[in-house]
Amino acid sequence: MTTPNTERALRLTVFVGESDGWHHRPVYTEIVHRAHKAGLSGASVFRGIEGFGASSMIHTQRLLSLSEDLPVAVVIVDTEERIRAFLPIVEELVADGGLVVLDSCEVVHYGDDRERNR
């Protein structure tokens, strides 16, 4: 068995509310589009089924307590240099509320090398 090709990276996770907006567009959508425009390697949005944040109000998707502001996490993994260069853009978008988390991580590459050599 061969050892997979790995490299150090930085994971950016931005927690916002589903109803948080930026110029009539969801903040999470704006983050993804700006990450794409900045040439980052990828971005994924995950919708939470329940959670609370700074307001301490619990938001849930359970039927009896329908929430229009479920937690959303935008996750982006790239080199530390590229993620740190993207932070001012994120700051602009979450200035009114949101949580930004940076984690060092290790990326394991499988499959086609052409994707990484862009």
Side-chain angles (χ1 to χ4, degrees):
M1 181 175 187
T2 61
T3 304
N5 183 23
T6 65
E7 66 182 290
R8 301 293 302 155
L10 198 61
R11 177 177 45 220
L12 166 68
T13 307
V14 183
F15 295 95
V16 294
E18 186 176 34
S19 66
D20 292 350
W22 177 262
H23 298 275
H24 309 292
R25 188 176 194 176
V27 167
Y28 60 87
T29 298
E30 190 67 22
I31 293 170
V32 169
H33 285 263
R34 290 192 187 195
H36 184 260
K37 184 177 179 181
L40 296 176
S41 63
S44 297
V45 178
F46 300 94
R47 183 176 187 231
I49 58 172
E50 190 164 2
F52 70 93
S55 72
S56 293
M57 177 178 276
I58 294 181
H59 302 277
T60 181
Q61 79 168 22
R62 284 180 278 157
L63 187 59
L64 295 177
S65 55
L66 291 176
S67 176
E68 296 178 5
D69 195 24
L70 292 170
V72 173
V74 182
V75 179
I76 303 169
V77 177
D78 209 314
T79 65
E80 181 171 355
E81 179 182 335
R82 294 174 82 176
I83 291 293
R84 291 200 183 278
F86 189 66
L87 284 177
I89 293 168
V90 173
E91 180 182 10
E92 176 186 3
L93 297 173
V94 299
D96 291 336
L99 175 67
V100 177
V101 177
L102 295 173
D103 297 302
S104 293
C105 61
E106 190 171 358
V107 176
V108 180
H109 294 286
Y110 295 103
D112 195 355
D113 283 345
R114 289 176 293 172
E115 277 294 309
R116 290 189 302 281
N117 297 327
R118 42 183 172 101

